[in-house]
Structures are given as structure tokens and as C-alpha cells.
Amino acid sequence: MLKNFLFQLKRFKTSSILNILGLSVSFTVFSMVIIQCRYDFEYDTQFEKSDNIYLFSVKVPSAGGEFPAISYPTAKDIADTYPEIRNFGLTIWNAKIKLDRKLADGTIVPYEVPLMNATPGLADIFSMRIISGDAQKALSEPGTIMLSESIAKKIFPDVDPLGQPIYYHYYPDPLTVVAICADVPENSSLINGAYGPFTSFGERGNFSFLGFFEILPENVNSLVQNINANIDIFGTNDDAEAAKYFNEHPEDKPKVNLTLLNNVQQDTFQQMPLGKRNLSSTLSLLAIGVIALLIAFINFINFSIAMAPMRVRSLNIQKIIGISSRKLKYMMALEGVCFSLVAFLLSLFFIVLLKTTPIAQFFSAGLSLSANASTLVAIGIVLIIFSFLFGLYPARYITSFQPAMALSGSFALSRKSGKLRNVLIAFQFITAITLIIVSGFVKLQHHYMVNYSLGMDKENIVYIPIWQDLKDKNEAKVFADELMKNPHITGYTEANAIPGTLGGATAMLYEGKMMSVPLWMIAPDFLSFFNIPLLEGEFFTEATDTTTFECIVNEEFLKEYDLKDISGKEIKMNEQTGIIKGVSKNVHYTTLHLPIKPMAFINGNPHGQDWYGVIFVKITGNEIPKTMDYINETWSKFSNEPFDGKFLDESVAKMYEEENNLSMLISIFGLIAVIIAVMGVYGLILFNTKYKAKEIAIRKVNGSSIKEIMLMLNKTILIQLGTAFVVAVPLAYFIVQKWLESFAYKTPVYWWIFLLAGLIIFIITLLTVSSQSYKASAKNPMEALNKE
């Protein structure tokens, strides 16, 4: 078998190289896709109790969505009331914090570490493996902290971390490391960083936490019904107005839901991406990987049959000297195994190379060969089996000719085999055209979202997170006033979030009607800074205190709740009364995946704390590098931290990173599919020119021109291409429409994308087949006739 394989490599160099190259590229795509899909499908499944971990969420009819949030009093009431709940844990992601280690010589070494505040039950629910120390103490006692193993080694490489002090940035009192836990998989809802206790939980209405409950699956449905029937989720029974409203409007009462954690996807909940990649994106990648694999194996069949005219004679001589057809058939099928084995080894080399290129950033899964060894071994076994099975057809076809016919050279392609080859080529064309169309619309949708108007300015605006980086938060205004001394800085304002990141909802009561809306805590000049116009009323005043607040609602607020003339009227929130100052035009406060919902801008301090964590700075757009240098220099006067200012438009674009990644992957893999498909077309035209060599020679002798012969050779392929285009257009249209349904705001479905995709494939195919058919038609006809 090995001798036969090496002989074929030597004899048919061009086709063998194209075969191995096509297989190796498709194997690379398939392997990377499977690695990513396994990463996605195994998200949150690696924990011992994965099948029993449920995420608590609340469906709020008045807010038009479902939110993964709970308060501590509500969680404790539910756990204490229902024995079906074995344990519960609350947490909140604090993004990254700054932790300082003080060395013996007084040197301070800062580290940026992900932080997750949690209750003690979280460690048990997720079966966190504690290497040393006491996790329950770390998640319950103030002044303590638990580190994951990798972070502990990073911060304390030279000493035992247990008992070591570490400082939360700018706070004088140290935190004591009291536990070390093993690292968790990257594809999970936990982090590899720091875990600390909560210092306070707030009231029943403080739905700021994620709640995880350990429950047996068979108890979930009845438990949800009992909670909704018996538990006062928001504590509305203590508020006479709210209780009255819900008694009169039970359809508006919030309802509890429990979702198995490993079923949570990023589009499960509105306004808060949580869990694994969207199933549609994962399945799209998987489909692309499978298609690339099929195209490559179809090419393998095409190349094998293309070589039939040159192999059938030698194979039948072997039949005559006593080798059975069955043995020849399996020998040729095993050739495919050898080709695939070489291609698979080459694909591993390609993965290693791609791991260091920008393509790797489109995958959330790591592409290390060692980390994915078991997956790659399984892929290799599957590919070898498939290559053997796909190799049986051309082996059966080539060994099916009678020796007398083969030795005379007068063999012919059967009608059945011809139809199959046409179907396979058409499949490749359909796939290539569809991928180009889908890739085009994914790219257009990404461009559409990035450039879509938010209803507010986003150009030439720099935002600077300050909540944990300023030495003194009270100096935020001093810092901003210092910036204004630069003539290229024209204004500043503050808020608690940037556009696109606002999440959650708060219950508000207006004239006896309960409604739930997201809040955007902003400085008084925020709306004028971003050129957000008012439809009625007036802008905020400068005077604020902790006993009242002002709010401006968006126009969707009026439309959703059928309200008019609300400026100047009172509205209630968390036992506090505020004034509605006016109504603004709609702005996109979340991503364009979601439609605009009612929301409220809040000016004031209704919770008695500093809400502003971001400063926005408007620059002229002239001498941007110098202006950014000035902001950086000014920042260094107020903070010891590196400057972390970003342009708002760039951050908004980054919110659609998944669409951009999907667009790039489909584009890259689509191009690969087109190249492999063209290889298949090359194999077909190569077969045709070999198979029809005598016919071409006779036609030339009888006066046929090169143009006529080229048309004869190209006609079948062009007909297949036209048929494939007719099939691919409605197929691609259906895929694009289904994909666009996940967006509230989407690009139009342009007809020219379909035409462009067909034109691209037509030109590439025409150039490929014409070059080979011209070569065949320009040959001296006597060469072919002399062989006969």
C-alpha cells in the first residue's frame, strides 16, 4: 500500500499536491471549528453539579424582557421556604480590579485581577476545588480574599500565598489571602482571579445579584410555580401603592424563572450577555466546518476519477496477472487514507502557524495542540474513516472496467457515474455561492450596526473610567476642569455607563401604574453634551440631593405606557419621589440586537452614593495625538494608574465583535471553500480533456476551431454553475433572513449581493476551466490519434 501510494505521488504530482493541499486546508478549518464548537457546547458543563445548577431570572412584563437578577433577601426567603433547594449562591462580576502587593523593601507591585464577589454557597454549588485554606471564610468574612491558583502564583511566586496581605487599590487596610482554589475552565461562568465576600446586600428591591440555585431537575417546574404563587419577589406587599397596582393588574406582576445554567446563551436575556456563544453562531461555524470537509472529499473523488484514464490500464494489467478486483479496490481506498493522513499532519502544522496570526483572535477557544489533544485525536480517527469510505467510490469505479476494454483504451464513464459527478460539482458551486452571499450580508450587517446612528453623538468623544483609578474620587471635577485648559477639548460630562452597556431595570410607579425601566445615571449636562434633543419639558438643573431626583424619560416611555403631558409630574422609585423634567428623543442605550425600550435618564443621587464612574471628554478632532498626550499627562497628576481612555465610537464598534468575528470567519472559510471548489472543477476539466482526447483530436482534424472545442469542454460546467446559482440564491436568502431575525435593526437584503456572488464564482470558474480547455484544444491532434 505504501509503495503504491508513493508511486502515485511520483506519477501524478500535480493532482496529488492539489489533493493533499485541498484536504489539509479543509482539515485545518474543520479541526479549528470543532475545537471552537466543543468549547461552546461544553460551556458550564464541567462542574460536578452542572445538571443541577439553575440561574434565577425575573420576567418583567412592563419592561418587555427577562433579567438574570435577584436580591439577597429574596434568595434567602426562597431557600429557607423550599427544601427542594439544596443550596444557593449569589455573585456579581466586578470586572477587573487593582490589587497591590507590598514587598519587604516597601516596593508596591500592582496587579490587575478579575474579581467576583460571592456568597459562601457559590463554592459548594460549583464544586470549586480548594487547594488550601478556607473558602467559606473567604466568602463570608470582611477583609479576606480567595485567589485562583494561577493568580496566586503570579502575585506570590516566591512565598506561600496563604496569610499574605494584599491591598485593594488606594484602600489602606489590607485583605488577607485565606484560600487558594484550583483554576476553573475558561468556558465557564466563574473566573480565574479573586473571590471576595459582600460587604452589604441592600434591601429586598436591590436586584443587583446573579443567583445560582442547586436543584434537582424534576423539582424545577413545581418550584417555579410555588415561588410565583407565594413569594413576594420585590417586596411590593410592603408598598401600599405597588400592592394595590399588582392586585388590580396581576398580568403585570413579575414572574420568576429558573434556567439550567449550561443552557444559558448570550442572547437568552435582554441587556445582559451571559453564558455561552449564541447557538446560531456555533451551528453556523459547525456547518461551515462540515461543508469545507465535504467539499474537500468531493474534490478527492473528482481527482481520483480524473486520473482514471491514466490508471485504468495498469490496474487491469494487475487484474490479469492475478490480483483480485476486491484487493485492488481496497488498495485504492487505502490510498485515500494515506492522502488524508498526510493532509491531517499538515493541518496540525497549519493550526500551529495560525495560532500566532490575527485569525486566532476570532476564536474564543485556545488553539493549542496539547490542550486539544483528545479532540484532535478523535478528529484524526474520524477523518481517516471518512477518507476510506469516500475512497471506495472512485476505487469501485476505476476497477469496474473489463480488462479487454481497459487495455484497448475504449472505456467510458457510465451515465450513473456521470450524474453523480455532476451533482457533486453542483454541490460545490451551491456551497461556494451561498457562503459568499452569507459572508457578504454578515459583513454588511456589521458595517450597518457600527455606523448606525445611536441618536446621540459618538465621534471625537473620549471616555475615561475613573471609579477605581482616581486617587480621590472627589477630584473628578478638578481633573476634568484641568482638561478644559486645552483648546482642543471643548467639553466634558459624567455618567455611570457608556452607550450600549446599560443593563438591568428598576421598578418605578407613575400615577398608580407600575413600570420597570433601565436607568442611566448622568450629570446634568449629559444630554446637551451628546446633542440629545428634548421633545418636551426642560433639561436637568444643577441642584441635586439624596432625598429626591429628577428624571427625563425617552419617547418610547410615552408610547409603551400610552402617556401624555408628563413633564413636571411626580414619579416614585424605591420609596423616593422624583420629578419628570421632560421627554427626550430615543437613543440606543443597548446594542442594536435589541429594540429601543422605555428608559429614564436620572439626575440626582436617589441611592445616596456616587454613581458616576465615567468621564466623557469631547475633542475637536484636530491634532488628536497631541490632545491624547495632554489628557494622558493630566491623568498622571490624579492617578498612579496607566491611562485607559478610549474613543467612544471604537468601543461601540467593539460591541459587535461577535458579528465581526463571524463575518471574518465566514469570509475566510468561504474563500477556502471557493478555492477548494475550483480545485474540484479543475479535476473535472482535467478528466474531460483526458477522457475526450480522441474526440477533440477528431474534431480538430475535421475543422473545429479552438473556440468551438473550448465551448464544448466548458459548456457542461457552465450549465452546472447556472443551475447551482438558481438553487443557491433562495437557499442563501433563507439563511440570511433567518440570521437577520436576531437583530432589531438590520441591513436591507440587497439583490446585487446575490448577483455579485454568482459573478465572482463565474469569473473564477471560467478562468480555471478555460485555461485547461485551451491547453487541450490547442494540442496537436496527431498526438492523441497516434496513441490510439
Side-chain angles (χ1 to χ4, degrees):
M1 181 188 70
L2 183 60
K3 286 182 177 180
N4 182 66
F5 171 67
L6 294 174
F7 176 73
Q8 301 309 321
L9 284 178
K10 184 178 180 181
R11 185 181 179 193
F12 306 114
K13 289 181 182 177
T14 302
S15 63
S16 295
I17 291 173
L18 291 177
N19 225 335
I20 291 173
L21 185 60
L23 287 171
S24 62
V25 170
S26 70
F27 290 175
T28 303
V29 172
F30 182 73
S31 298
M32 293 170 71
V33 164
I34 294 300
I35 288 171
Q36 179 62 54
C37 288
R38 181 179 180 182
Y39 178 95
D40 292 340
F41 285 125
E42 290 186 349
Y43 205 98
D44 279 329
T45 63
Q46 308 94 327
F47 303 110
E48 184 181 334
K49 301 176 182 178
S50 293
D51 293 336
N52 300 331
I53 303 175
Y54 287 82
L55 177 65
F56 183 96
S57 61
V58 181
K59 295 180 180 179
V60 186
S62 60
E66 184 174 350
F67 305 92
I70 194 172
S71 68
Y72 181 80
T74 300
K76 194 169 188 314
D77 279 356
I78 293 173
D80 291 343
T81 304
Y82 298 103
E84 299 98 314
I85 296 176
R86 298 181 169 187
N87 204 347
F88 78 96
L90 303 188
T91 184
I92 186 169
W93 280 275
N94 287 22
K96 290 187 176 181
I97 62 167
K98 307 294 172 58
L99 292 178
D100 296 336
R101 180 189 175 189
K102 291 184 179 180
L103 303 180
D105 61 1
T107 304
I108 296 177
V109 183
Y111 296 91
E112 191 173 63
V113 177
L115 171 68
M116 181 181 279
N117 288 110
T119 59
L122 193 80
D124 178 64
I125 288 176
F126 283 92
S127 307
M128 297 177 72
R129 185 168 65 86
I130 307 305
I131 297 174
S132 59
D134 186 347
Q136 297 302 305
K137 181 179 180 180
L139 299 180
S140 59
E141 295 186 12
T144 61
I145 197 168
M146 177 170 68
L147 300 177
S148 64
E149 185 178 15
S150 59
I151 295 298
K153 289 180 178 179
K154 180 179 179 181
I155 299 176
F156 300 102
D158 52 342
V159 296
D160 182 358
L162 276 185
Q164 294 293 331
I166 194 168
Y167 293 81
Y168 185 56
H169 225 41
Y170 297 135
Y171 286 82
D173 298 326
L175 302 171
T176 303
V177 180
V178 299
I180 306 296
C181 64
D183 284 355
V184 296
E186 289 185 6
N187 54 337
S188 75
S189 293
L190 299 184
I191 61 166
N192 290 315
Y195 292 83
F198 288 107
T199 54
S200 64
F201 293 104
E203 303 170 350
R204 182 177 292 275
N206 182 20
F207 269 57
S208 302
F209 307 96
L210 291 173
F212 301 97
F213 290 79
E214 182 187 346
I215 314 165
L216 292 178
E218 58 267 25
N219 297 328
V220 171
N221 291 335
S222 60
L223 181 61
V224 169
Q225 293 175 4
N226 289 332
I227 293 173
N228 284 323
N230 302 312
I231 298 293
D232 182 20
I233 303 168
F234 287 110
T236 51
N237 293 342
D238 299 330
D239 187 317
E241 285 186 85
K244 179 182 177 183
Y245 176 80
F246 285 128
N247 284 333
E248 295 174 352
H249 303 86
E251 71 281 0
D252 284 347
K253 193 169 183 179
K255 301 293 183 183
V256 164
N257 194 22
L258 290 167
T259 306
L260 187 65
L261 183 59
N262 57 40
N263 285 342
V264 174
Q265 300 172 36
Q266 289 179 1
D267 58 354
T268 301
F269 303 108
Q270 291 193 21
Q271 303 170 353
M272 186 174 183
L274 182 71
K276 57 190 171 188
R277 182 197 296 261
N278 299 340
L279 182 61
S280 59
S281 297
T282 302
L283 293 179
S284 297
L285 279 180
L286 183 59
I288 291 171
V290 171
I291 287 170
L293 196 63
L294 286 175
I295 289 177
F297 279 126
I298 289 171
N299 268 5
F300 174 75
I301 292 173
N302 287 335
F303 275 116
S304 296
I305 296 178
M307 297 299 105
M310 291 175 281
R311 297 196 62 184
V312 71
R313 189 191 299 263
S314 64
L315 288 170
N316 278 276
I317 289 174
Q318 294 180 63
K319 275 187 186 180
I320 293 171
I321 63 175
I323 300 177
S324 67
S325 295
R326 185 176 182 181
K327 188 172 182 180
L328 284 174
K329 186 189 304 180
Y330 285 122
M331 182 185 71
M332 291 193 65
L334 288 171
E335 280 181 24
V337 173
C338 292
F339 274 109
S340 292
L341 188 58
V342 172
F344 180 65
L345 294 175
L346 192 57
S347 73
L348 297 181
F349 174 71
F350 289 157
I351 292 174
V352 172
L353 290 180
L354 291 173
K355 190 176 67 171
T356 60
T357 68
I359 292 176
Q361 71 185 7
F362 304 138
F363 294 84
S364 50
L367 298 177
S368 166
L369 297 188
S370 58
N372 297 285
S374 60
T375 303
L376 291 170
V377 168
I379 290 171
I381 293 172
V382 169
L383 292 179
I384 288 172
I385 293 172
F386 269 62
S387 63
F388 179 77
L389 295 176
F390 274 91
L392 285 175
Y393 170 73
R396 181 174 175 273
Y397 164 68
I398 296 175
T399 58
S400 64
F401 298 107
Q402 294 299 319
M405 182 186 298
L407 292 174
S408 66
S410 56
F411 59 90
L413 184 67
S414 69
R415 180 174 296 181
K416 184 177 179 181
S417 297
K419 285 182 178 179
L420 177 60
R421 282 174 53 76
N422 289 338
V423 168
L424 294 179
I425 290 292
F427 172 80
Q428 289 181 308
F429 280 140
I430 291 169
T431 302
I433 294 170
T434 301
L435 283 175
I436 291 176
I437 293 171
V438 172
S439 172
F441 278 106
V442 172
K443 196 70 179 175
L444 280 176
Q445 177 64 16
H446 178 255
H447 182 268
Y448 180 85
M449 291 187 297
V450 169
N451 293 281
Y452 192 87
S453 172
L454 299 180
M456 57 190 293
D457 291 349
K458 62 177 180 178
E459 305 296 330
N460 294 325
I461 293 175
V462 179
Y463 73 91
I464 309 163
I466 62 171
W467 72 276
Q468 66 172 358
D469 289 337
L470 282 180
K471 298 174 186 176
D472 185 348
K473 286 186 180 180
N474 295 323
E475 291 190 342
K477 190 175 187 308
V478 180
F479 164 65
D481 288 338
E482 185 73 17
L483 294 178
M484 291 298 295
K485 294 178 181 179
N486 188 301
H488 295 295
I489 297 175
T490 60
Y492 74 90
T493 191
E494 295 179 81
N496 72 320
I498 68 170
T501 63
L502 205 62
T506 299
M508 304 184 82
L509 192 65
Y510 175 75
E511 294 187 346
K513 185 175 182 64
M514 184 65 68
M515 49 197 71
S516 185
V517 295
L519 305 182
W520 202 343
M521 304 295 180
I522 63 172
D525 60 349
F526 183 91
L527 276 76
S528 57
F529 176 91
F530 281 101
N531 290 322
I532 302 172
L534 289 184
L535 300 178
E536 64 172 83
E538 58 186 24
F539 288 105
F540 291 135
T541 58
E542 289 290 337
T544 62
D545 58 48
T546 61
T547 61
T548 186
F549 65 94
E550 298 175 338
C551 80
I552 291 176
V553 298
N554 65 350
E555 56 184 312
E556 191 63 27
F557 187 96
L558 271 64
K559 182 179 178 182
E560 180 78 15
Y561 300 117
D562 193 23
L563 301 172
K564 292 181 181 179
D565 302 322
I566 64 173
S567 297
K569 295 184 179 179
E570 292 186 348
I571 191 167
K572 191 176 180 181
M573 176 178 65
N574 296 333
E575 301 299 322
Q576 292 180 311
T577 300
I579 300 295
I580 300 175
K581 296 289 289 183
V583 179
S584 75
K585 283 190 70 67
N586 287 333
V587 297
H588 289 275
Y589 58 90
T590 60
T591 68
L592 296 178
H593 296 90
L594 303 171
I596 293 176
K597 291 288 185 179
M599 62 85 61
F601 295 103
I602 300 295
N603 172 39
N605 208 355
H607 295 277
Q609 57 183 318
D610 182 10
W611 280 96
Y612 303 143
V614 183
I615 288 180
F616 298 88
V617 178
K618 188 176 291 185
I619 63 178
T620 61
N622 299 323
E623 298 186 7
I624 291 178
K626 289 184 178 179
T627 306
M628 293 301 292
D629 287 342
Y630 175 78
I631 297 174
N632 193 354
E633 290 170 8
T634 306
W635 172 259
S636 64
K637 299 176 184 177
F638 294 85
S639 175
N640 293 329
E641 298 307 313
F643 177 62
D644 192 29
K646 297 181 177 68
F647 282 95
L648 183 59
D649 56 348
E650 293 177 358
S651 293
V652 169
K654 198 170 182 180
M655 294 172 190
Y656 308 106
E657 191 170 11
E658 183 175 336
E659 285 73 29
N660 181 52
N661 290 350
L662 184 62
S663 168
M664 293 303 296
L665 286 176
I666 292 178
S667 299
I668 293 169
F669 295 162
L671 177 62
I672 290 171
V674 170
I675 293 172
I676 297 175
V678 168
M679 287 181 182
V681 172
Y682 178 84
L684 179 60
I685 197 68
L686 189 66
F687 172 84
N688 284 341
T689 55
K690 298 291 183 184
Y691 169 61
K692 296 183 178 182
K694 183 177 179 181
E695 180 184 347
I696 293 170
I698 293 173
R699 284 176 178 270
K700 286 200 71 175
V701 169
N702 285 281
S704 293
S705 65
I706 292 178
K707 182 179 177 182
E708 289 172 334
I709 294 174
M710 285 181 64
L711 183 61
M712 177 197 72
L713 292 172
N714 294 357
K715 183 172 64 175
T716 302
I717 299 227
L718 295 179
I719 291 173
Q720 289 173 332
L721 177 57
T723 305
F725 180 75
V726 171
V727 175
V729 166
L731 176 62
Y733 180 81
F734 173 78
I735 294 172
V736 168
Q737 285 283 47
K738 293 297 290 183
W739 182 73
L740 288 175
E741 285 177 5
S742 63
F743 300 91
Y745 305 91
K746 45 203 166 195
T747 182
V749 180
Y750 298 106
W751 63 268
W752 57 267
I753 294 290
F754 298 89
L755 188 60
L756 180 62
L759 189 61
I760 289 172
I761 297 297
F762 173 77
I763 293 173
I764 293 174
T765 303
L766 189 64
L767 292 175
T768 303
V769 299
S770 295
S771 62
Q772 185 62 31
S773 58
Y774 176 80
K775 184 179 177 182
S777 59
K779 237 179 188 181
N780 186 342
M782 298 309 298
E783 292 182 18
L785 294 176
N786 284 337
K787 288 180 181 178
E788 296 298 323

